[in-house]
Amino acid sequence: MRFNTAMKVVRISDEVWEIPVSEKPGMLVPARIYGTESILQAMDAGVFEQVTNVACLPGIRRYALCMPDGHWGYGFPIGGVAAFDVRSGIISPGGVGYDVNCGMRLIRTDLTLEDVLPRLERLMTELFRRVPAGVGSSGFVPMDRAAFDGVMTRGARWCIERGYGWHRDLERIEQGGCLSGANPDAVSDHAVKRGMNQLGTLGSGNHYLEVQVAANDRIFDRETAAAFGITGQDQIVVMVHCGSRGFGHQVASDYLKIFEKAMRRYGITVPDQQLACAPFLSEEGQDYFAAMNCAANTAFANRQVITHQVREAFAAVFGRSGEALGMELVYDVAHNIAKVERYSEGELVVHRKGATRALGPGSQDLPACYRSVGQPVICGGSMETGSYLLAGTAQATDDTFGSTMHGSGRTMSRTQAKKSIRGEQLLQQMKQRGILVKAVSMSGLAEEAGFAYKNISDVVESVDRAGITKKVAELRPIGNIKG
């Protein structure tokens, strides 16, 4: 076995690999990477280096983890999961990422491919018009500082109270669409200024809004799919991938500077400056946690307003209301977040960066409608190849702090992808394959070409076989809005 590291990598099972603490000075716990042998062989050297760096951070418990969609990131690898003791551990913006509460949302419909295909061009045009995309795009929701304080502290509920959604949406959002402990006083004026007018916008990068099909032969667990409202039979669903936009980015930037100084004060040394951190219970740690929760709530609100706009677009094209079209929320889940959660070790600050919470059946944190089957886990693939709906398992709670993969994971830099194909060429290729794309930027479209990502089916199979999530349905794209 040859991997992109000189460190010893021990096979624990066909899908779990471990780097012992003896492989790097300062490691406090082993590092564990999920994936098949071929997935690990294709992982970049940064994953092995970064996950073992994370294993050196104060207060870490059990393992530093990386999911099979892992690749190099800022400080922590994308796909990274790490849990720290609340009393003796740290919190790190590098373990959350710049796009705080980047996450996924899935909306079901009663429509079928046969219903939508004749109106797909009009539908995508309407969605593109109603959901602003691209760098620096602005939303339509009227906002002043007092209103934005409400968004930061109340999240998706703030939106629903103003007509942007249905009250029953809240129970199908992680934490009800609002993390407690958000304090706008911990957020800089510059961050507020960047976020104030971005509610209801997709942004750029790998963010998207996608119309997808759930075909009958791509349902793998009918009972769980039915509980999630997925019936197959070429059913149409809508997937949204975006986060806290410039607001979350500024929160992360502000606190990385603060933490670099704070580490000297607390005598913390880290193997990589991008792992800047502070004790969770320190003044700096608590301020970041409060500001990060503000950004997380803003991301929940952002996806809520986008959902409202999606329902309005469908209603305009099909002449029936979102309710009449059965446009219920399946779930909304973060994949860039730090939260205090209770495990066998006690209360831990669980960092998930490019990793999804995956609660198993019976969890009291799930709405009653999902308690018998486990949490919906929404995994976005490349815009060319499709996405997956999975379900959380009890084994994830035991093995990975209730966490699993979030997407397919990049294999190629954005720069390299743009050198390999032109956006206009990709647009035509996708159209020929039955995927209609509306993109703000052709270079941004080229960055997201399918060949720049791992095969999501391989990644999904590995977490399914590892037992940390189970496969429910594959979703095929027919229309994509790209920032």
Side-chain angles (χ1 to χ4, degrees):
M1 291 175 292
R2 292 183 64 83
F3 303 121
N4 287 316
T5 179
M7 290 184 277
K8 182 168 72 177
V9 182
V10 179
R11 182 196 295 264
I12 302 299
S13 71
D14 287 347
E15 292 81 27
V16 184
W17 306 78
E18 183 170 305
I19 303 174
V21 294
S22 56
E23 292 303 299
K24 179 179 281 187
M27 282 178 69
L28 301 172
V29 295
R32 283 198 166 185
I33 303 174
Y34 279 70
T36 58
E37 184 176 332
S38 60
I39 285 177
L40 252 75
Q41 286 174 330
M43 276 184 174
D44 59 86
V47 170
F48 300 94
E49 197 61 34
Q50 291 187 319
V51 74
T52 48
N53 286 343
V54 172
C56 301
L57 294 177
I60 190 166
R61 291 290 177 260
R62 219 185 296 175
Y63 306 106
L65 299 164
C66 187
M67 297 297 118
D69 49 337
H71 58 94
W72 182 90
Y74 184 92
F76 281 53
I78 307 298
V81 178
F84 302 89
D85 186 88
V86 161
R87 292 171 300 282
S88 62
I90 54 89
I91 187 167
S92 172
V96 173
Y98 278 99
D99 191 1
V100 176
N101 190 4
C102 187
M104 307 294 298
R105 180 174 278 224
L106 187 67
I107 305 154
R108 70 171 303 284
T109 78
D110 288 336
L111 294 166
T112 66
L113 183 62
E114 187 179 5
D115 298 324
V116 169
L117 267 187
R119 306 186 199 188
L120 184 60
E121 175 72 48
R122 187 180 161 205
L123 176 63
M124 298 311 295
T125 300
E126 193 67 20
L127 288 167
F128 195 52
R129 185 177 75 79
R130 289 177 181 264
V131 182
V135 178
S137 53
S138 297
F140 69 95
V141 180
M143 194 67 61
D144 57 20
R145 176 60 198 248
F148 197 60
D149 282 358
V151 174
M152 287 190 275
T153 54
R154 295 174 61 76
R157 184 176 295 279
W158 183 94
C159 306
I160 288 170
E161 288 172 348
R162 284 151 186 82
Y164 304 119
W166 308 335
H167 283 279
R168 61 181 179 274
D169 290 340
L170 291 176
E171 71 169 6
R172 299 185 181 200
I173 306 175
E174 182 174 356
Q175 302 300 127
C178 181
L179 301 184
S180 60
N183 181 2
D185 292 340
V187 176
S188 72
D189 290 340
H190 185 44
V192 170
K193 187 177 177 183
R194 288 189 66 179
M196 188 93 85
N197 297 313
Q198 293 192 321
L199 211 57
T201 62
L202 270 182
S204 58
N206 62 351
H207 297 147
Y208 61 81
L209 187 165
E210 200 162 81
V211 178
Q212 303 170 336
V213 180
N216 216 28
D217 61 352
R218 304 310 294 166
I219 305 291
F220 309 108
D221 180 337
R222 293 206 170 274
E223 181 185 353
T224 304
F228 293 165
I230 304 300
T231 57
Q233 310 293 345
D234 286 343
Q235 180 186 12
I236 296 297
V237 299
V238 182
M239 184 174 284
V240 177
H241 175 216
C242 64
S244 52
R245 307 279 283 106
F247 178 59
H249 194 284
Q250 192 60 47
V251 166
S253 300
D254 290 343
Y255 278 93
L256 280 166
K257 291 176 188 169
I258 292 169
F259 280 15
E260 284 174 8
K261 295 176 182 172
M263 284 198 299
R264 290 195 289 275
R265 187 175 315 125
Y266 296 110
I268 298 173
T269 56
V270 291
D272 176 357
Q273 202 63 15
Q274 293 182 357
L275 294 172
C277 57
F280 178 67
L281 292 181
S282 68
E283 180 181 351
E284 295 88 346
Q286 288 295 289
D287 283 349
Y288 169 67
F289 191 54
M292 186 214 67
N293 285 333
C294 287
N297 290 341
T298 303
F300 283 133
N302 191 31
R303 294 194 287 273
Q304 185 62 43
V305 173
I306 289 173
T307 299
H308 171 77
Q309 292 298 85
V310 168
R311 287 168 173 158
E312 291 289 291
F314 271 74
V317 172
F318 293 96
R320 287 180 283 162
S321 69
E323 284 194 288
L325 293 169
M327 298 186 72
E328 300 291 338
L329 189 59
V330 176
Y331 208 62
D332 179 308
V333 65
H335 53 229
N336 278 5
I337 200 86
K339 292 166 63 183
V340 175
E341 296 174 353
R342 178 166 287 280
Y343 291 91
S344 56
E345 296 91 339
E347 284 196 324
L348 303 176
V349 188
V350 181
H351 292 58
R352 297 188 181 97
K353 179 183 180 180
T356 309
R357 191 187 71 169
L359 300 178
S363 171
Q364 294 303 304
D365 287 332
L366 289 176
C369 58
Y370 297 151
R371 217 165 278 162
S372 65
V373 293
Q375 178 205 300
V377 173
I378 306 160
C379 297
S382 79
M383 60 187 179
E384 291 190 75
T385 57
S387 300
Y388 275 83
L389 182 60
L390 314 179
T393 65
Q395 190 174 334
T397 304
D398 296 335
D399 293 356
T400 57
F401 303 105
S403 309
T404 189
M405 60 179 282
H406 84 305
S408 43
R410 292 194 80 93
T411 57
M412 184 185 290
S413 71
R414 290 189 165 89
T415 303
Q416 198 177 349
K418 282 192 288 189
K419 287 179 181 174
S420 304
I421 194 166
R422 291 179 58 82
E424 293 84 353
Q425 183 187 358
L426 181 59
L427 190 78
Q428 286 306 315
Q429 288 178 0
M430 291 178 67
K431 187 174 181 181
Q432 287 166 7
R433 294 207 304 275
I435 306 170
L436 191 57
V437 179
K438 301 282 185 184
V440 172
S441 153
M442 285 298 114
S443 64
L445 180 65
E447 291 175 356
E448 299 303 313
F451 57 72
Y453 285 87
K454 297 174 190 175
N455 182 327
I456 191 168
S457 296
D458 292 345
V459 179
V460 167
E461 289 294 338
S462 64
V463 294
D464 186 89
R465 288 203 295 268
I468 57 173
T469 23
K470 63 176 182 178
K471 201 166 55 168
V472 176
E474 184 180 2
L475 308 168
R476 176 174 63 84
I478 57 168
N480 186 292
I481 304 293
K482 174 77 190 63

